[in-house]
């Protein structure tokens, strides 16, 4: 469906409203599939899609969909492992591009994998050689998996995410230890501190009591350099300290799942662990965990790999559901239009961008609904009160037409829409006057009449940019052409009375002010009266002044008011 630039602006406004509600950027692309189309079958297909899918969206889904993040499996090169293969497999192995490959074992790798018995046995597949490339993204996106599992329950479409999560539980233990390696410095420093405090406390409590005889023996041993005997006196406290150290190392070993020997047995106090020692331990631990992580990942991957294609589909579906959720939020209270022939009609349409709008019904052409005063006219002249809502009605018609051609529900209680090839909206240009503006507008209007096809042309006050006399002639002729070609036209004009005379096929509708409220403000009925020329507001303004003024002035307004009534 073709839209001219103003009609496109309305489409963009609508698209903007939907986009505003879409939280996941991956979901935005879905909107592009719904640009307005003149193809009736396509519109009906889209309607069927929305009817079926919008009902799957539940309010609880919003928070779940918010958690969805893309799960990307990237083919990174893993420098920690070496794959040893037979000469004949070398090329194929290198082509996998996930790690170094060699025909013989080499030093400097944490993991040695092999197809010929040099290390852990593997097949020549990425899943076997680098299962972490699949498992780590899954592990890091457990929140997404949890959300997918729950979404699957809510839609009733099910999910493989639960099963994958179950498999990933096998990694809990290894990953917990991996986390501890990150905190190794703090872990050891705090153990060191605790141990030193404990030893200091013990030393403080320790006192050496010797009897006179023992003291003499002690001095003799000292003289003869018999240190062992001297140390024996202190062995009690030394034993205590050693058992504290042992205890501490045992605790660390349990925490890290690895036998740790960190503290010196030579210099017992203060206990000190050097940075190099920690680094060495870290390296050892990392190496061991790498192997464990590799083995576990491989085991889990074997179980979950067949589920991954479905998972990919589910992720896509989640993005689609987020799009649908936004559509549902935007179209709350809307209805699907009936796709018909013969024109456009809607009952109680509500302007999208006016707060608490008065619902308006309207008909262009000959569709199922008829209103008093209408007779299937295709060319309509909309007249009436200033600020009555004429421009807003043209906008409302455009909104309903555009949404209907997108296959969306529309902002009305009921609607009947014929698929159109083109929609034109010519806005009144308030700021430009003169021949230039007139020429541009005239050209635009004429151009809209050239091509054949089904079209609706909406024009807002064309005459504002030229003299009324000439305007009647120009508009009159152009509308005759539109009528001959069977186009639908709604034109806002203050020249309704003159146009009526020369365009017998056209219907004139009027938006009228109902009167004045108790504060003498205009009350406008936004619903046009069909086949009725809109009573102009000046009369009401005069009436207002007549009511407000006193004395001589009141008399003047009374006379003016009389002129309206005669
Ligand atoms: N259906 C409606 N319900 C509530 N308010 C409305 C409705 N239609 C229009 N309005 C409000 O009335 C005001 C005037 O609307 P609009 O500009 O469409 O009138 P108009 O008849 O085109 O005016 P003008 O004669 O100046 O061109 C706007 O503030 C608009 O928000």
């Amino acid at each position: 469906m073709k839209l001219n630039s103003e009609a496109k602006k309305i489409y963009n406004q609508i698209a903007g409203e939907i986009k505003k509600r879409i939280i996941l950027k991956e979901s935005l692309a879905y909107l592009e599939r719904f640009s307005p189309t003149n193809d009736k079958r396509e519109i009906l297909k889209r309607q069927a899609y929305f009817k079926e899918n919008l009902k799957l969206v539940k309010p609880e889904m919003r928070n779940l969909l918010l958690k969805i993040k893309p799960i990307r499996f990237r083919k990174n090169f893993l420098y920690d492992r070496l794959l040893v293969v037979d000469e004949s497999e070398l090329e194929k192995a290198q082509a996998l591009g996930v790690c170094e490959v060699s025909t013989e074992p080499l030093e400097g790798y944490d993991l040695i994998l092999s197809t010929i018995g040099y290390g852990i046995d593997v097949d020549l597949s990425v899943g076997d050689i680098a299962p972490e490339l699949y498992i780590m993204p899954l592990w890091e996106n457990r929140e997404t998996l949890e959300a997918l599992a729950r979404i699957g329950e809510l839609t009733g479409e099910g999910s493989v995410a639960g099963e994958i999560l179950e498999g990933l539980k096998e990694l809990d233990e290894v990953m917990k230890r991996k986390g501890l390696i990150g905190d190794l410095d703090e872990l050891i420093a705090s153990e060191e501190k605790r141990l030193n405090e404990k030893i200091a406390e013990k030393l403080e409590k320790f006192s050496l009591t010797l009897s006179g005889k023992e003291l003499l023996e002690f001095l003799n041993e000292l003289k003869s350099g018999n240190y062992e005997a001297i140390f024996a006196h202190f062995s009690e406290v030394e034993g205590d300290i050693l058992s504290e150290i042992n205890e501490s190392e045992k605790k660390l070993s349990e925490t890290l799942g690895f036998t740790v020997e960190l503290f010196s047995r030579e210099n017992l106090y203060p206990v000190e662990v050097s940075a190099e020692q920690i680094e060495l331990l870290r390296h050892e631990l990392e190496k061991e965990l790498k192997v464990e992580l590799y083995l576990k990942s491989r085991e889990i991957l074997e179980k979950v790999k067949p589920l991954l294609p479905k998972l990919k589909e589910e992720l896509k579906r989640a993005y689609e559901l987020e799009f649908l959720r936004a559509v549902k939020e935007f179209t709350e209270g809307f209805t699907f239009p009936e796709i018909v022939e013969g024109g456009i009609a809607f009952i109680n349409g509500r302007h999208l961008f006016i707060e608490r709008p008065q619902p308006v019904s309207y008909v262009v052409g000959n569709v199922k609904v008829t209103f008093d005063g209408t007779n299937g006219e295709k060319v309509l002249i909309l007249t009436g009160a200033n600020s009555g809502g004429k421009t807003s009605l043209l906008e409302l018609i455009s909104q309903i037409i555009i949404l209907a051609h997108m296959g969306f529900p529309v902002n009305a209680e009921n609607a009947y829409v014929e698929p159109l090839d083109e929609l034109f909206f010519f806005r009144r240009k308030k700021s430009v006057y003169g021949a230039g503006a007139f020429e541009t507008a005239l050209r635009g209007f004429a151009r809209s009449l050239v091509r054949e096809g089904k079209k609706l042309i909406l024009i807002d006050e064309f005459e504002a940019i030229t003299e009324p006399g000439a305007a009647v002639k120009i508009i009159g002729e152009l509308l005759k052409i539109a009528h001959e070609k069977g186009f639908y036209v709604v034109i806002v004009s203050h020249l309704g009375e003159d146009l009526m005379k020369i365009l017998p096929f056209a219907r004139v509708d009027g938006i009228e002010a109902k009167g004045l409220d108790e504060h003498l403000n205009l009350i406008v009925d936004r619903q046009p009266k069909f086949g009725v020329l809109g009573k102009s507001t000046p009369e009401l303004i005069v009436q207002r002044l007549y009511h407000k003024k006193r004395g001589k002035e009141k008399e003047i307004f009374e006379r003016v008011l009389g002129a309206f009534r005669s």
Side-chain angles (χ1 to χ4, degrees):
M1 184 198 203
K2 273 207 153 79
L3 305 174
N4 79 333
S5 69
E6 281 300 335
K8 198 168 273 161
K9 274 188 201 159
I10 295 181
Y11 168 65
N12 289 339
Q13 247 184 332
I14 294 173
E17 278 303 303
I18 301 167
K19 280 185 195 157
K20 210 166 76 184
R21 291 169 166 80
I22 296 178
I23 305 164
L24 304 174
K25 67 176 192 312
E26 290 84 355
S27 305
L28 289 170
Y30 284 89
L31 187 57
E32 284 157 26
R33 302 183 187 179
F34 295 91
S35 56
T37 173
N38 60 353
D39 180 348
K40 180 177 173 178
R41 274 184 32 213
E42 174 64 20
I43 296 174
L44 290 174
K45 205 172 99 192
R46 292 181 188 179
Q47 284 193 352
Y49 164 80
F50 280 125
K51 279 178 192 165
E52 193 178 319
N53 285 279
L54 286 177
K55 64 173 187 254
L56 297 178
V57 178
K58 309 272 156 48
E60 317 81 290
M61 266 183 205
R62 190 174 192 277
N63 284 338
L64 295 168
L65 287 165
L66 261 178
K67 292 188 182 145
I68 300 290
K69 299 219 170 67
I71 304 180
R72 295 202 178 94
F73 301 110
R74 289 213 178 87
K75 205 161 142 198
N76 291 338
F77 195 88
L78 304 177
Y79 292 93
D80 60 357
R81 64 200 64 190
L82 177 74
L83 174 62
V84 186
V85 295
D86 185 72
E87 189 76 47
S88 62
E89 299 170 313
L90 194 61
E91 207 171 308
K92 196 174 160 207
Q94 275 164 340
L96 291 177
V98 285
C99 71
E100 293 293 352
V101 182
S102 159
T103 50
E104 57 193 45
L106 302 170
E107 289 291 315
Y109 293 94
D110 295 337
L111 268 169
I112 306 278
L113 312 172
S114 179
T115 55
I116 48 173
Y118 279 114
I120 301 171
D121 280 338
V122 290
D123 285 336
L124 274 190
S125 71
V126 176
D128 246 22
I129 297 162
E132 299 96 320
L133 295 183
Y134 292 94
I135 298 301
M136 281 305 110
L138 291 172
W139 172 265
E140 280 151 17
N141 286 292
R142 280 163 296 160
E143 244 200 355
T144 296
L145 293 172
E146 269 153 29
L148 283 178
R150 185 80 188 98
I151 290 165
E153 274 171 37
L154 288 173
T155 56
E157 288 170 355
S159 170
V160 294
E163 213 178 313
I164 295 175
L165 280 168
E166 201 49 45
L168 288 173
K169 273 195 191 147
E170 299 272 322
L171 272 191
D172 282 355
E173 188 58 38
V174 191
M175 294 312 280
K176 205 170 103 201
R177 282 165 56 207
K178 199 163 185 250
L180 287 176
I181 298 183
D183 304 332
L184 200 61
D185 295 278
E186 290 102 277
L187 193 73
I188 292 175
S190 85
E191 194 53 33
E192 197 181 78
K193 183 161 172 271
R194 195 191 63 82
L195 199 54
N196 279 328
E197 279 167 6
K198 199 93 193 249
I199 296 171
E201 201 182 303
K202 278 201 185 295
L203 288 176
E204 206 155 287
K205 279 193 196 143
F206 176 76
S207 61
L208 188 61
T209 322
L210 297 175
S211 65
K213 192 165 161 259
E214 283 167 333
L215 181 62
L216 286 176
E217 275 169 23
F218 185 82
L219 288 173
N220 275 337
E221 284 157 359
L222 202 59
K223 263 189 226 150
S224 57
N226 185 358
Y227 293 114
E228 262 190 34
I230 298 169
F231 290 149
H233 292 289
F234 298 96
S235 64
E236 189 192 335
V237 68
E238 188 189 27
D240 271 6
I241 292 174
L242 278 173
S243 74
E244 279 299 333
I245 289 177
N246 288 338
E247 192 58 33
S248 214
E249 283 182 342
K250 197 170 143 210
K251 226 174 81 190
L252 276 175
S253 301
E254 271 166 20
T255 314
L256 295 168
F258 185 82
T259 315
V260 174
E261 272 180 30
L262 269 181
F263 305 117
S264 157
R265 275 25 180 203
E266 314 273 287
N267 305 313
L268 288 185
Y269 182 76
V271 167
E272 240 174 326
V273 183
S274 69
E276 293 88 74
Q277 267 176 296
I278 297 178
E279 266 328 290
L280 216 66
L281 175 64
R282 192 196 307 277
H283 186 73
E284 285 294 312
L285 281 169
E286 274 174 354
K287 199 168 157 184
E288 189 182 283
L289 271 180
K290 254 193 195 139
V291 178
E292 247 179 87
L293 189 60
Y294 164 80
L295 290 171
K296 277 264 180 261
S297 297
R298 210 170 122 168
E299 200 181 302
I300 299 168
L301 186 61
E302 218 158 275
K303 283 189 221 151
V304 307
K305 189 127 191 239
L307 308 176
L308 296 184
K310 173 87 192 337
L311 181 70
K312 205 171 150 196
E313 289 301 309
E314 280 179 33
L315 264 174
K316 257 170 65 188
R317 180 69 173 147
Y319 292 133
E320 188 178 357
L321 283 167
E322 167 57 12
F323 161 73
L324 287 163
R325 191 199 57 73
V327 171
K328 184 160 179 160
E329 196 180 301
F330 172 66
T331 59
E332 200 64 62
F334 289 15
T335 36
F336 283 100
E338 208 176 295
I339 305 302
V340 294
E341 301 280 310
I344 296 117
F346 53 85
I347 295 169
N348 289 335
R350 302 169 72 89
H351 194 289
L352 290 177
F353 305 106
I354 292 176
E355 233 177 289
R356 277 177 276 111
Q358 180 191 331
V360 173
S361 305
Y362 207 64
V363 58
V364 185
N366 191 7
V367 286
K368 280 187 189 168
V369 276
T370 47
F371 298 103
D372 281 350
T374 71
N375 192 22
E377 298 88 350
K378 291 180 169 181
V379 176
L380 312 174
I381 300 157
L382 190 56
T383 63
N386 291 329
S387 292
K390 299 183 293 297
T391 307
S392 304
L393 177 55
L394 295 188
E395 287 166 0
L396 174 61
I397 297 171
S398 306
Q399 291 163 2
I400 290 175
I401 296 280
I402 289 170
L403 279 168
H405 285 75
M406 290 169 77
F408 274 55
V410 302
N411 40 325
E413 220 170 82
N414 265 313
Y416 306 86
V417 176
E418 175 174 8
L420 302 172
D421 301 312
E422 290 184 86
L423 172 66
F424 291 88
F425 191 145
F426 296 105
R427 247 179 222 284
R428 177 174 54 154
K429 300 273 187 291
K430 289 192 176 141
S431 55
V432 269
Y433 289 96
F438 175 63
E439 194 179 321
T440 312
L442 193 56
R443 246 192 298 155
F445 191 173
R447 211 178 296 137
S448 72
L449 297 172
V450 176
R451 256 195 310 266
E452 300 304 314
K454 298 258 175 220
K455 58 180 85 175
L456 170 63
I457 305 166
L458 304 169
I459 305 162
D460 197 359
E461 255 190 81
F462 184 76
E463 72 261 22
I465 46 178
T466 186
E467 313 93 67
V472 173
K473 286 190 198 120
I474 296 167
I475 298 171
E477 215 45 49
L478 292 173
L479 291 185
K480 278 182 200 162
I481 299 172
H483 174 67
E484 283 155 22
K485 293 195 160 202
F487 298 157
Y488 303 115
V489 183
V490 183
I491 181 165
V492 170
S493 177
H494 289 294
L495 308 170
E497 215 161 351
D498 301 317
L499 289 169
M500 253 162 80
K501 286 179 201 148
I502 57 168
L503 305 172
F505 53 83
R507 186 179 82 221
V508 177
D509 295 333
I511 293 181
E512 292 193 335
K514 283 193 277 197
L516 300 171
D517 67 11
E518 72 259 36
H519 307 293
L520 298 174
N521 290 321
L522 284 178
I523 316 166
V524 183
D525 184 1
R526 313 290 178 185
Q527 173 60 55
K529 289 199 166 56
F530 299 112
V532 174
L533 193 69
K535 199 172 14 156
S536 59
T537 0
E539 184 185 343
L540 286 167
I541 305 288
V542 176
Q543 202 182 342
R544 174 154 94 161
L545 291 168
Y546 163 74
H547 282 295
K548 277 191 164 174
K549 299 295 169 186
R550 297 272 164 269
K552 292 270 179 239
E553 269 190 76
K554 195 182 187 78
E555 280 170 28
I556 290 173
F557 288 119
E558 189 174 10
R559 245 185 91 174
V560 180
L561 200 59
F564 273 104
R565 287 175 182 164
S566 61

